[in-house]
Amino acid sequence: MEEKYLYKFNWDCSRQGEVEGLFVATESEVEYAIGKEAYFGEILGKHSEVYGTIEEGEIKKVDIDSNAVGQVAEHLGETWSGYNPLHYIKYDCQVCEDRYSGEEMHSTEEDDMICNYCQKEKSEKR
Ligand SMILES: [Zn+2]
């Protein structure tokens, strides 16, 4: 299991406002997200349609020990506040090869990308 860290996401949408989030992820999950298109929808009000590419520097690691992060994550889960950008990008499931948002993925580890649906099928076969 890769170590998890706390990350801060900050997107300046100029006139519309800011999209912020505090979330827990592994380094490779964050690396995967850089350069990907994120689609947030109308989170900053009607017709705001917030989307764009996640650039380097918009996700910053917070300097907290990964053990401490893990302990808090046991209680708070992986999204501590605001928006978790990892939930708004698309992943390719290695099994069905469909694309899903992070919320529909069972695992987004680079060598084990699998959606909830394939994971369910897999566990039912056992
Ligand atoms: Zn799948």
Side-chain angles (χ1 to χ4, degrees):
M1 240 350 225
E2 238 190 294
E3 284 190 352
K4 295 195 172 202
Y5 297 95
L6 183 63
Y7 289 91
K8 203 175 175 191
F9 171 64
N10 187 286
W11 240 11
D12 190 355
C13 302
S14 58
R15 266 177 301 165
Q16 291 169 327
E18 272 181 311
V19 185
E20 289 179 303
L22 210 51
F23 64 99
V24 175
T26 65
E27 283 176 333
S28 57
E29 283 174 324
V30 169
E31 261 167 47
Y32 180 84
I34 304 295
K36 293 279 183 312
E37 182 97 354
Y39 180 78
F40 291 91
E42 300 186 339
I43 57 168
L44 296 177
K46 219 171 163 40
H47 308 303
S48 60
E49 287 296 316
V50 177
Y51 64 93
T53 307
I54 298 175
E55 312 270 356
E56 198 125 34
E58 293 172 338
I59 298 178
K60 288 194 178 110
K61 193 192 262 180
V62 180
D63 190 19
I64 299 177
D65 186 82
S66 99
N67 287 329
V69 169
Q71 281 171 8
V72 180
E74 270 176 37
H75 301 281
L76 294 186
E78 300 206 326
T79 307
W80 293 8
S81 78
Y83 293 93
N84 182 342
L86 302 182
H87 290 171
Y88 296 90
I89 59 176
K90 296 283 185 187
Y91 296 89
D92 297 308
C93 172
Q94 286 173 347
V95 181
C96 62
E97 293 179 351
D98 279 340
R99 309 193 81 197
Y100 294 101
S101 70
E103 276 171 323
E104 290 175 297
M105 293 296 291
H106 173 77
S107 164
T108 56
E109 297 287 327
E110 223 163 332
D111 48 1
D112 185 31
M113 266 190 204
I114 182 164
C115 71
N116 284 335
Y117 316 107
C118 291
Q119 177 62 33
K120 197 165 169 257
E121 233 170 70
K122 216 166 120 182
S123 60
E124 279 168 359
K125 268 183 206 155
R126 251 170 226 165

